[in-house]
Amino acid sequence: MVTPKRKDAQQLTELILETARDLFTQYGVDTVSMHQIAKTAGVGQATMYRRYAQKGDLCLELIDDQFNRLRIEIEAQLEQLDGAPILERLISVFRRIIMFTHHEASLLKAIHVSLVQSRCLNADAQQFFCSQPYLYLHGTLAGLLKEASDAGQTVSFDPAFTAHIMIAALAPHTLQHLSDRYGYTTDDIIDQLIRTLIRPLFISLD
Amino acid sequence: MVTPKRKDAQQLTELILETARDLFTQYGVDTVSMHQIAKTAGVGQATMYRRYAQKGDLCLELIDDQFNRLRIEIEAQLEQLDGAPILERLISVFRRIIMFTHHEASLLKAIHVSLVQSRCLNADAQQFFCSQPYLYLHGTLAGLLKEASDAGQTVSFDPAFTAHIMIAALAPHTLQHLSDRYGYTTDDIIDQLIRTLIRPLFISLD
DNA sequence: TTGACAAACGGACAATTGTCCGCTATTATT
DNA sequence: AATAATAGCGGACAATTGTCCGTTTGTCAA
């Protein structure tokens, strides 16, 4: 059978992504419209929507590189801390995640709003919770929490449930509000979050 | 000076609210459009937008009664528990808030998405965090947390900060995901949240 | 080459959100 | 009562999101 592919398909994808990146940088993620991206890139609406059904999908693609870097860092750190106390490893990973969330706040906000709305017809599954980044972060956190729980060093809790809650607590809107409105620095936020969400789970060994 | 008021202004407001309530009940909050509400109510677009600039504002108004009831319940409960240990009061309030959030999930989701987007020009202030319900919940939680902290019964943390984080952790999307996808009941969710977010803050007095 | 066929482009179109402006209704003033 | 003045109604209009369909592009077979 025939399996035709446009030879410029991949180039169009990159053109769209590059245009979006530029426009986002210049005007801010919120104010740039899908139409504007297509028009600027010189492609049809459908050509873009066929690749990215929503702005959130496009943002996910744009953040993909950063996210892979985060993944690699987390894995390197876990390898380096192999054998260290679970509390220390958990804090290390948590810190990285918060830094990433706070740093990529504008893209993450757009992703969150877009994918949580689920205006698509398959409203049965919340796309946000099925996205690869969410699943990876949840899996990693839940794994560490389970290890701590199994080791008997913590109070009794459900690791998977708690991982969901922790990610919810890191909502980019909230973190941004805390820094914009109250002036908390990233380090303040990291410190307080660890102090509030992580350490108290561990039974003090005094 | 002249201060003319249409005598039917209040009636129109109630007509809009009633129409919205009916349509939301019948078709679901997500699928009903502002245009549809105006058309069904038989009023112009601007007549509705002048009252409620976004769907989130309309939802806020619709939930207002329920929210006032929550407030009264919380205050009654705090009065009744006057003198009880702070941990007990905190858990009691927290439980009420979670029940409310889970029960009103569909309206709260719409409010959250709408007010967090802040497509309005005054994007300087996140409307969601300035809404009366948010401020009340935050104030109440922060007050109780501060009391616990001052009494020296807890680990060291910032009450206001922690109250923000706790509310973020109760994001309706997340709670709904937990019940839809994993089958947690409201009671499961309440139990786990208290176990994860509240109790660990308190130093065990053994 | 040439013809057939499908993947995929692009612009037109529909739906929703949000704004603007001419007109109506109401009330204070005379 | 008649008039003036303005709050506020309502529909038309603009912008954005998302879809559909006629047309183009490239591959395979003869």
Side-chain angles (χ1 to χ4, degrees):
Chain A
M1 258 334 255
V2 290
T3 53
K5 297 279 178 186
R6 288 231 177 179
K7 61 184 172 191
D8 56 348
Q10 184 57 30
Q11 290 170 25
L12 279 180
T13 298
E14 281 164 21
L15 176 62
I16 291 170
L17 287 177
E18 204 164 319
T19 306
R21 213 188 319 264
D22 289 350
L23 289 175
F24 285 169
T25 308
Q26 189 169 359
Y27 301 107
V29 178
D30 297 330
T31 60
V32 174
S33 72
M34 292 292 266
H35 180 84
Q36 187 181 352
I37 296 170
K39 203 66 175 294
T40 305
V43 303
Q45 290 273 89
T47 301
M48 187 169 52
Y49 273 98
R50 219 169 291 116
R51 289 165 169 76
Y52 309 107
Q54 319 167 42
K55 207 156 115 176
D57 292 336
L58 206 164
C59 295
L60 261 187
E61 188 73 28
L62 283 180
I63 219 173
D64 199 52
D65 283 346
Q66 310 296 328
F67 182 73
N68 282 328
R69 203 164 304 150
L70 171 69
R71 252 172 80 156
I72 290 169
E73 276 181 21
I74 287 178
E75 270 147 35
Q77 204 150 42
L78 283 181
E79 196 165 348
Q80 188 189 330
L81 290 177
D82 187 44
I86 178 65
L87 174 57
E88 188 181 336
R89 279 177 285 150
L90 191 50
I91 286 178
S92 159
V93 168
F94 205 62
R95 170 176 285 122
R96 284 278 176 200
I97 294 175
I98 299 167
M99 287 174 67
F100 175 77
T101 304
H102 205 200
H103 191 256
E104 302 292 340
S106 62
L107 276 179
L108 289 176
K109 270 169 56 183
I111 291 170
H112 192 263
V113 167
S114 181
L115 297 194
V116 135
Q117 270 188 305
S118 70
R119 27 175 63 136
C120 303
L121 297 184
N122 56 344
D124 51 338
Q126 283 265 17
Q127 293 184 38
F128 176 71
F129 297 102
C130 302
S131 66
Q132 193 223 346
Y134 187 90
L135 291 175
Y136 173 74
L137 290 183
H138 179 264
T140 304
L141 276 179
L144 290 169
L145 288 170
K146 180 160 192 320
E147 186 180 333
S149 178
D150 286 348
Q153 297 179 11
T154 67
V155 300
S156 158
F157 65 90
D158 176 338
F161 183 101
T162 303
H164 284 299
I165 295 302
M166 284 183 175
I167 297 177
L170 303 184
H173 311 99
T174 302
L175 299 194
Q176 198 169 54
H177 182 241
L178 286 169
S179 64
D180 288 358
R181 174 74 180 72
Y182 297 99
Y184 290 102
T185 67
T186 305
D187 282 339
D188 293 337
I189 291 175
I190 291 174
D191 178 60
Q192 283 293 334
L193 281 172
I194 290 173
R195 189 187 293 253
T196 308
L197 294 179
I198 304 283
R199 283 199 182 278
L201 293 179
F202 285 74
I203 294 165
S204 68
L205 302 173
D206 307 335
Chain B
M1 258 333 256
V2 289
T3 53
K5 297 280 177 184
R6 289 234 176 176
K7 61 184 171 191
D8 57 348
Q10 184 57 32
Q11 291 169 24
L12 278 181
T13 298
E14 281 163 21
L15 176 62
I16 290 170
L17 286 177
E18 204 164 319
T19 306
R21 211 188 320 262
D22 289 349
L23 288 175
F24 284 169
T25 308
Q26 189 169 357
Y27 301 107
V29 178
D30 298 330
T31 60
V32 174
S33 72
M34 293 291 267
H35 181 84
Q36 187 180 353
I37 296 170
K39 203 68 175 295
T40 305
V43 304
Q45 289 273 88
T47 301
M48 187 170 51
Y49 273 97
R50 218 170 291 115
R51 290 164 169 77
Y52 309 107
Q54 319 165 43
K55 207 155 115 175
D57 292 337
L58 206 165
C59 294
L60 261 188
E61 187 73 28
L62 283 180
I63 219 173
D64 199 53
D65 283 346
Q66 310 296 328
F67 182 72
N68 282 329
R69 203 164 304 150
L70 172 68
R71 254 172 80 155
I72 291 169
E73 276 181 21
I74 286 178
E75 271 147 32
Q77 205 150 43
L78 284 180
E79 196 166 347
Q80 187 189 330
L81 290 177
D82 188 43
I86 178 64
L87 174 57
E88 189 180 336
R89 279 178 284 150
L90 191 51
I91 286 177
S92 159
V93 167
F94 205 62
R95 170 176 284 122
R96 284 280 177 199
I97 294 175
I98 299 167
M99 286 175 67
F100 175 78
T101 304
H102 205 201
H103 190 257
E104 302 290 341
S106 61
L107 276 179
L108 289 176
K109 270 170 55 185
I111 292 170
H112 191 262
V113 168
S114 181
L115 297 194
V116 137
Q117 269 188 307
S118 70
R119 25 174 64 136
C120 303
L121 296 184
N122 56 345
D124 51 339
Q126 283 265 16
Q127 293 185 38
F128 176 72
F129 297 102
C130 303
S131 66
Q132 193 224 345
Y134 187 90
L135 291 175
Y136 173 74
L137 290 184
H138 180 264
T140 305
L141 276 180
L144 290 169
L145 288 170
K146 181 163 192 319
E147 187 182 334
S149 178
D150 286 347
Q153 296 178 12
T154 66
V155 301
S156 159
F157 64 91
D158 177 338
F161 184 101
T162 303
H164 284 299
I165 294 302
M166 284 183 176
I167 297 177
L170 303 184
H173 311 99
T174 302
L175 299 194
Q176 200 169 53
H177 182 241
L178 285 169
S179 63
D180 287 358
R181 173 74 180 72
Y182 297 99
Y184 289 103
T185 66
T186 305
D187 283 340
D188 294 337
I189 291 175
I190 291 173
D191 177 61
Q192 283 292 334
L193 282 172
I194 290 173
R195 188 187 293 253
T196 308
L197 294 179
I198 304 284
R199 283 199 183 276
L201 292 179
F202 285 75
I203 295 165
S204 67
L205 302 172
D206 307 336

